Amino acid sequence: MLNIVLFGPPGAGKGTQSERIMEKYDLVHISTGDLFRKHIGEGTALGKQAQDYIDSGNLVPDALVIRMVEVKIESQKDSEGFLFDGFPRTVAQAIALDEMLQGRQMSIAVMLALAVPDNELRDRLKLRGLTSGRSDDQNEEKINNRINVYKSETLPVADYYRHQSKFKEVNGVGSVEEIFNHICMVIDLVK
Ligand code: ADP
């Protein structure tokens, strides 16, 4: 069992690297952003509750996120492990995740943090907004809000894992292959 938290600001490349990591290590990908977008697309009650938060670049309330993740974990009990992407994004979510995993005799092996400078993030998100169709990528104010929310609410999650000696930083600037190789070196040391 190998459980990994992939961490980093919006636009750091978590989605891109996730696909490679889950394939190589045979992990179930749990991206809370993707799950919410699916709920919104399907018009579920959860999607309706989450939509306004997402459109404005704010975080969806913890209770909704935590319940959605627990349902997903429960539905994939036979997996080799999970790759959490975009979750946990608050310390309350990190605590809830530890509890969920402990109750199932599992734990997080490592938090992989992709480090990318702010100006590069803004450029990437604006570029993604041209093609992704994501309303939260399309305007400067929403992008800035997401980066600010990341700094105030999500960065403390790094300290949470640092205290457990599970925090590992990887340079998120470079070619997709280079970054992936670096990530694999870190994973191979903990698995
Ligand atoms: P990004 O590419 O900006 O990192 P995501 O696809 O991970 O974005 O998430 C998009 C939006 O979904 C976030 O801005 C937030 O509103 C909501 N969201 C995703 N994951 C979480 C979470 N763990 N807690 C709260 N809100 C979340």
Side-chain angles (χ1 to χ4, degrees):
M1 197 76 183
L2 174 67
N3 298 305
I4 297 173
V5 172
L6 189 60
F7 188 76
K14 299 188 292 291
T16 307
Q17 295 298 334
S18 284
E19 284 178 30
R20 288 167 173 76
I21 300 169
M22 59 186 259
E23 194 178 321
K24 174 160 180 178
Y25 296 97
D26 201 13
L27 304 177
V28 171
H29 185 205
I30 301 192
S31 158
T32 44
D34 287 352
L35 288 173
F36 279 128
R37 281 186 287 276
K38 189 157 178 280
H39 276 279
I40 290 171
E42 291 170 357
T44 67
L46 178 58
K48 292 197 174 96
Q49 285 172 294
Q51 179 139 38
D52 287 348
Y53 297 101
I54 293 178
D55 283 347
S56 56
N58 292 317
L59 294 183
V60 177
D62 287 334
L64 294 182
V65 185
I66 291 164
R67 193 156 8 105
M68 179 175 76
V69 170
E70 189 149 31
V71 168
K72 183 79 184 167
I73 290 178
E74 232 356 79
S75 73
Q76 301 278 349
K77 277 195 221 145
D78 298 329
S79 88
E80 297 294 319
F82 295 98
L83 176 64
F84 297 97
D85 166 3
F87 176 88
R89 243 176 169 96
T90 63
V91 172
Q93 292 178 18
I95 293 170
L97 177 62
D98 270 351
E99 286 171 1
M100 260 184 246
L101 294 178
Q102 261 160 31
R104 295 171 174 81
Q105 278 73 51
M106 300 191 279
S107 62
I108 293 296
V110 66
M111 164 186 264
L112 280 162
L114 291 173
V116 177
D118 273 10
N119 55 347
E120 166 94 14
L121 294 175
R122 284 176 224 278
D123 291 348
R124 288 187 190 180
L125 289 172
K126 265 188 274 176
L127 202 65
R128 187 168 79 181
L130 299 175
T131 55
S132 70
R134 280 179 51 170
S135 63
D136 59 346
D137 281 346
Q138 291 187 2
N139 119 354
E140 191 118 15
E141 199 185 318
K142 290 179 184 178
I143 291 177
N144 282 336
N145 190 38
R146 278 154 67 209
I147 294 176
N148 290 337
V149 167
Y150 170 79
K151 287 186 178 157
S152 61
E153 301 188 48
T154 304
L155 259 188
V157 178
D159 284 331
Y160 179 85
Y161 288 97
R162 218 179 250 122
H163 287 140
Q164 298 186 5
S165 308
K166 291 178 178 173
F167 176 87
K168 295 277 181 296
E169 192 166 75
V170 171
N171 183 0
V173 183
S175 74
V176 170
E177 250 354 272
E178 256 163 24
I179 300 167
F180 180 59
N181 288 338
H182 201 155
I183 287 175
C184 292
M185 277 167 26
V186 176
I187 295 178
D188 291 339
L189 285 175
V190 299
K191 82 173 171 130

